[in-house]
Amino acid sequence: ETLICYFRRCLESAYGSSVFACQGDRMWHFAISVFLIELYGHNLLLTGIFGLVVAGSVLLLGALIGDWVDRNPRNKVAHGSLFIQNISVTVCSIVLMLVFSYKKRIEEIWDGWLTVVCYTVVIVLANVANLASTALTIAIQRDWIVVITGYNRGHLAGMNATMRRIDQVTNILAPLAVGQVMTLSSNVVGCGFILGWNLVSLIVEFIFLSRVYRIVPSLSIKPPAMEHQSYLEKKRERKPAAISEETTSMHLQEISRTPVCLHRLRGLLSTCREGWRAYYRQPVFLAGLGLAFLYTTVLGFDCITTGYAYTQGISGSLLSILMAVSAVAGLLGTVLFTKLRKTCGLVNTGIISSGLHLVCLLLCLCSVFAPGSPLDLTVLNIGNVSDVGGMTGGHQRHGYPLRGSSNQPLLPDRSSIHWTNNTVLFENMPAGTGPESYVSIILLFLGVITARVGLWSFDLTVTQLLQETICESERGVVNGVQSSMNYLMDLLHFIMVISAPQPQHFGILVIISILFIFTGHTMYFLYARKVKRKPHTNT
């Protein structure tokens, strides 16, 4: 009974910390996108630059972040990441408050260059906050909860599902909360609200995480060989030890001639290389790579899909309702995951979830050719594309006017996984008439929403496979590389949309997205087939 009481206290603290962390992350991700648009005159340029900086940073530094998580004690990693993330957001909020309050004066200083400096500082601080959030996610959701559950697969599945439910609920509540504050007051007050939340959240999360660390003594223990060195450092020591004294002296002379900064850079590059190799060697490599492929898609509630829907006559209020319904579908996916895992096993759960996801996406494929679809392949001709990056231009299949201005680029501004209710980007645009038929847009959103059930169930399956399969000494670096892969595929999503930005192109983007998703699930099927062929495998 005492053990159960301790476990409940531990779960309460872990979930409490997760609530504050998810709420803060979602509010900040929503707010920073809107703030950057407001700063640059309702233009998506800063948002696009920020998205590229964030994706590029995690892509390049994911392995290093994971290696740092592996090399240091769990409490120091969690507390350090938490402190860096919240302080970065706090300072960034202060800078934004000053810029919004004194924007005209700032624009007059240094011929406007001070404004550029402020934009740069905001993007850099927001990027640092995202990197710290990545480290904290790897530490807590990929390592801590495995130890907390005592490596019990049933408890681990339940905790993963609960964490995802918290994330889905906050995905609905967070934009509403900060959006109402910004709408009823001002951007300055919105920044102040974010600032205050982060300071409070820093204290509350610190207390909760410290409590969990005290309740679970095994969190303070790492594999003996890992007490003072990471897995990658150990791997380097496995090189042949029988080196002659002459070779050693020559190596030392070479090091002494090399500048310190260059030597450190070589070490960082070596860490990245070994991290990617460690990821490739994992038995669950194909499953992780398959999950990453699912990030190259326009079939989600980011500004691309919502912007396209707006041009097809869907109002902002209806889009908000559809987002809420989508979040509910995601919650159903977490319930499906726990039920299937108990009855069918973890690997089979992934197979069933993949099939469900693909079947639902067939509705999206049908929407491309259904009545009301603006698909027009003639706009791909060079002579017809006169407005590169715009939402208009070329031949329109239907005679209805596009909603909004003639220059609405379909630039994504999302992260791992979905940042904002981007309908706010289009709320001040004039209303237009709808298409001749709503069959296409109905099929599109019906497919996107129902697919969330299989998507989140599949995501939880791969997450738990990574948790169960990767040895403790490699969890950080392998999950860091997994984050890099996710962002790499997201970058392809940026390029794909920039290459085909008009509404008439959207059907092509849907087809390409489904091909990437199909490829990802095929990789998982290959992994599952490989696992099932192994004897004595407990799934």
Side-chain angles (χ1 to χ4, degrees):
E1 186 176 348
T2 304
L3 183 62
I4 295 176
C5 182
Y6 271 103
F7 186 67
R8 286 179 179 175
R9 288 175 56 195
C10 179
L11 291 181
E12 290 172 0
S13 299
Y15 293 150
S17 173
S18 179
V19 168
F20 275 84
C22 290
Q23 182 75 4
D25 285 348
R26 293 292 186 177
M27 287 197 303
W28 172 244
H29 292 154
F30 174 85
I32 188 62
S33 299
V34 178
F35 290 153
L36 290 175
I37 292 167
E38 291 287 339
L39 284 176
Y40 207 67
H42 297 275
N43 189 294
L44 288 173
L45 177 62
L46 284 182
T47 305
I49 292 174
F50 175 59
L52 289 172
V53 169
V54 166
S57 297
V58 179
L59 173 60
L60 295 175
L61 303 176
L64 296 177
I65 292 172
D67 186 52
W68 177 73
V69 172
D70 285 335
R71 282 190 292 107
N72 293 279
R74 289 187 173 97
N75 61 332
K76 290 184 179 180
V77 169
H79 293 159
S81 302
L82 177 65
F83 181 81
I84 293 172
Q85 179 190 8
N86 285 271
I87 294 302
S88 297
V89 172
T90 300
V91 176
C92 190
S93 298
I94 294 173
V95 173
L96 285 169
M97 291 175 70
L98 294 174
V99 172
F100 281 126
S101 300
Y102 305 101
K103 188 174 182 180
K104 292 184 178 180
R105 294 184 184 179
I106 292 174
E107 289 175 348
E108 296 173 356
I109 300 175
W110 299 346
D111 295 327
W113 282 102
L114 183 58
T115 305
V116 178
V117 172
C118 291
Y119 293 164
T120 304
V121 170
V122 168
I123 290 176
V124 169
L125 287 173
N127 185 45
V128 170
N130 184 72
L131 291 174
S133 176
T134 301
L136 188 61
T137 300
I138 292 173
I140 302 300
Q141 297 188 17
R142 301 294 184 267
D143 182 33
W144 277 46
I145 66 173
V146 180
V147 180
I148 290 172
T149 56
Y151 301 87
N152 183 291
R153 293 182 173 184
H155 293 161
L156 181 60
M159 199 167 184
N160 281 330
T162 303
M163 290 284 196
R164 190 56 50 84
R165 288 166 192 156
I166 292 172
D167 181 67
Q168 287 296 295
V169 172
T170 55
N171 190 31
I172 302 172
L173 299 180
L176 290 176
V178 70
Q180 288 300 313
V181 171
M182 293 165 60
T183 302
L184 298 177
S185 53
S186 65
N187 290 327
V188 175
V189 176
C191 292
F193 179 73
I194 297 289
L195 188 153
W197 178 274
N198 272 274
L199 291 178
V200 173
S201 179
L202 174 61
I203 298 172
V204 174
E205 287 184 66
F206 186 91
I207 293 173
F208 277 140
L209 291 177
S210 298
R211 186 183 181 189
V212 172
Y213 191 78
R214 288 196 308 269
I215 294 175
V216 185
S218 53
L219 285 173
S220 61
I221 303 171
K222 281 196 171 184
M226 293 295 300
E227 289 179 355
H228 303 291
Q229 59 184 175
S230 69
Y231 163 79
L232 298 181
E233 289 172 335
K234 279 179 58 187
K235 189 177 184 304
R236 296 186 196 112
E237 292 181 2
R238 292 174 187 169
K239 295 179 179 180
I243 303 175
S244 64
E245 295 182 2
E246 183 178 352
T247 306
T248 304
S249 61
M250 290 176 62
H251 182 64
L252 292 174
Q253 288 178 6
E254 183 181 350
I255 292 176
S256 63
R257 293 173 188 168
T258 306
V260 177
C261 58
L262 186 58
H263 181 65
R264 289 181 179 177
L265 179 61
R266 286 180 179 176
L268 294 176
L269 292 176
S270 176
T271 299
C272 289
R273 183 177 64 253
E274 296 298 338
W276 283 86
R277 286 179 178 176
Y279 177 73
Y280 177 74
R281 287 194 310 270
Q282 298 301 314
V284 75
F285 164 71
L286 280 176
L289 187 61
L291 177 63
F293 264 70
L294 269 58
Y295 280 74
T296 308
T297 178
V298 296
L299 300 175
F301 280 90
D302 54 18
C303 68
I304 298 167
T305 308
T306 53
Y308 168 76
Y310 203 85
T311 67
Q312 302 303 298
I314 304 299
S315 66
S317 58
L318 178 57
L319 282 171
S320 298
I321 295 173
L322 291 175
M323 285 192 68
V325 175
S326 174
V328 173
L331 292 175
L332 293 177
T334 65
V335 176
L336 177 68
F337 165 74
T338 54
K339 299 293 185 183
L340 287 178
R341 196 208 65 83
K342 288 181 181 178
T343 56
C344 305
L346 189 59
V347 174
N348 289 332
T349 297
I351 295 174
I352 297 171
S353 301
S354 295
L356 178 61
H357 189 205
L358 290 172
V359 168
C360 292
L361 289 181
L362 290 177
L363 294 173
C364 299
L365 183 61
C366 293
S367 74
V368 176
F369 308 100
S373 173
L375 178 66
D376 189 354
L377 298 180
T378 59
V379 297
L380 294 178
N381 296 332
I382 297 177
N384 291 330
V385 183
S386 59
D387 184 23
V388 178
M391 294 265 295
T392 63
H395 298 288
Q396 294 186 26
R397 182 174 171 179
H398 304 289
Y400 62 91
L402 294 179
R403 305 185 74 167
S405 65
S406 61
N407 185 26
Q408 301 173 17
L410 291 173
L411 289 176
D413 58 346
R414 56 177 205 154
S415 80
S416 234
I417 304 205
H418 303 285
W419 279 13
T420 74
N421 176 356
N422 292 283
T423 56
V424 73
L425 306 183
F426 307 96
E427 64 180 359
N428 295 322
M429 295 182 179
T433 57
E436 61 189 31
S437 174
Y438 285 97
V439 173
S440 176
I441 198 69
I442 290 173
L443 286 174
L444 175 69
F445 277 96
L446 187 61
V448 170
I449 292 173
T450 55
R452 312 303 276 184
V453 179
L455 172 63
W456 288 116
S457 179
F458 178 76
D459 182 88
L460 284 169
T461 300
V462 177
T463 297
Q464 184 152 342
L465 285 171
L466 290 169
Q467 291 168 332
E468 293 181 1
T469 307
I470 302 170
C471 66
E472 188 173 353
S473 59
E474 296 182 83
R475 277 186 200 142
V477 68
V478 172
N479 280 288
V481 175
Q482 179 66 47
S483 297
S484 296
M485 281 300 307
N486 295 344
Y487 276 95
L488 173 62
M489 303 311 293
D490 204 24
L491 276 175
L492 294 181
H493 163 265
F494 277 85
I495 297 170
M496 186 172 72
V497 175
I498 292 172
S499 301
Q502 301 176 22
Q504 296 89 342
H505 298 153
F506 192 78
I508 301 172
L509 299 182
V510 169
I511 295 172
I512 295 174
S513 298
I514 292 175
L515 288 176
F516 269 96
I517 293 171
F518 178 78
T519 303
H521 286 307
T522 300
M523 291 179 181
Y524 181 83
F525 293 148
L526 293 175
Y527 161 78
R529 181 185 179 188
K530 183 178 178 181
V531 169
K532 288 180 176 296
R533 283 184 172 181
K534 288 183 179 180
H536 310 297
T537 300
N538 183 15
T539 59

